[in-house]
Amino acid sequence: MVARGGGAAGANQGSAALFETSVTAFLSDIECREEIFGASSVLVRCRSQADIRSVLELLEGQLTITLQLDDADRDDARALPPVIERRAGRIVVKG
């Protein structure tokens, strides 16, 4: 775990969490790919465009997929919409 939000103040309230894993661990561990309900995110560290595509192709349906990128990433990011549009109800870029 990379970070955890503050403690919950009342009944039925959760605490946000941020997890990080390698592409190898994500691809080999089905539990890493299961949907999590609540305020949590999983950061998968990819080393190549092929790694990114491998991760995206294993994802089940998602409410959102967010792309955090800078100007240098734009050309690589243009190849992703055909893969992610079939897996997410909403695509957020730099949001």
Side-chain angles (χ1 to χ4, degrees), residues 2-93:
V2 175
R4 179 171 286 293
N12 301 318
Q13 294 184 357
S15 179
L18 174 63
F19 300 92
E20 178 180 4
T21 190
S22 69
V23 69
T24 304
F26 184 85
L27 296 175
S28 65
D29 186 349
I30 194 166
E31 288 182 4
C32 284
R33 301 189 306 267
E34 289 184 2
E35 186 174 9
I36 299 172
F37 291 96
S40 63
S41 294
V42 178
L43 173 68
V44 181
R45 296 270 180 191
C46 297
R47 295 179 182 209
S48 68
Q49 190 76 1
D51 282 353
I52 294 169
R53 185 170 288 277
S54 295
V55 167
L56 291 173
E57 289 181 354
L58 281 180
L59 288 180
E60 294 182 9
Q62 305 291 313
L63 180 60
T64 63
I65 292 178
T66 302
L67 302 176
Q68 297 294 345
L69 50 97
D70 58 28
D71 291 338
D73 299 321
R74 289 193 184 274
D75 289 338
D76 288 335
R78 283 189 177 97
L80 300 177
V83 177
I84 60 179
E85 68 187 3
R86 294 185 307 265
R87 287 170 174 78
R90 179 175 36 178
I91 300 169
V92 179
V93 180

